[in-house]
Amino acid sequence: MDIQFIYHTVMKLLAALPITLELFICSLILGLFLALVILALRINQNPLLSYFARGYILIFRGTPLLIQLFVVYYGLGQLEWIQNSFLWPIFREPFNCAVLSIALCTAGYTAEIFRGALLSVPSGQIEAGKACGMSRALLIRRIIAPIMIRYALPAYSTEAIMLIKSTTLASLVTVWEVTGVAQQIIQRTYRTMEVFICAAVIYLIINYVIVKIYGCIEKKLTVHTKPADQMAEPKAISEESC
């Protein structure tokens, strides 16, 4: 292994890291917003809205992200009514198309994650909230949303990891993030092994940080469940000593 070559490769890949993180953060935020909209439509009593959400989830979960990316970048950008509309500044930029494609795809998965978490909320706690006179908004804010987030967080952290991996496809539409820069280096040097190992280590570190962040969030959301267990042990010890 050429240590000097690896050092220069890592520096070039780290220079492209902000693009990867920007892709990830923008796609995560937009995908989360779209997922909440799709979830609201999915559980709506109106069958037209519910079937629209089901169709959306079926399409974006059932087709490869690569095809969705090509359709958004190469397909929609060719339509004249888009080129002549206010949407053209969005679709003419590869970065925007990549963010939109990844966000649309992850929204389908995230909506189903949230729906499963919502169905797991104990009905007894909802009934207790209604019995206390809580309004619908207060019931969602105080009972449904916190419990749903706790249930959804483990699966959502996995989706976030998949999302950072999905950003590697952005290089196919000329967004030069870490993988795109790695491919450029390989084309010039033909040293595939060293370059891809450096890129893999960078993605591994990013995913490790993401797991730790979600772990800290999950720990904070479940901190109220621990004192009861911790207080039970001293009580049991005191009873035995008596």
Side-chain angles (χ1 to χ4, degrees), residues 87-155:
L87 296 174
W88 179 238
I90 298 176
F91 286 95
R92 72 181 179 186
E93 296 294 335
F95 180 87
N96 296 335
C97 292
V99 169
L100 181 60
S101 302
I102 297 173
L104 289 172
C105 183
T106 190
Y109 290 94
T110 305
E112 282 297 280
I113 292 173
F114 287 165
R115 189 177 71 89
L118 181 62
L119 294 176
S120 300
V121 176
S123 58
Q125 297 193 25
I126 299 176
E127 295 298 329
K130 292 180 179 179
C132 293
M134 289 186 177
S135 63
R136 184 180 181 85
L138 186 61
L139 189 65
I140 293 175
R141 183 167 62 89
R142 290 287 185 87
I143 296 179
I144 298 177
I147 297 176
M148 184 185 75
I149 292 173
R150 286 200 299 270
Y151 285 153
L153 202 58

Side-chain angles (χ1 to χ4, degrees), residues 166-181:
S166 299
T167 60
T168 59
L169 297 177
S171 61
L172 299 177
V173 292
T174 67
V175 178
W176 302 120
E177 37 73 59
V178 172
T179 302
V181 173

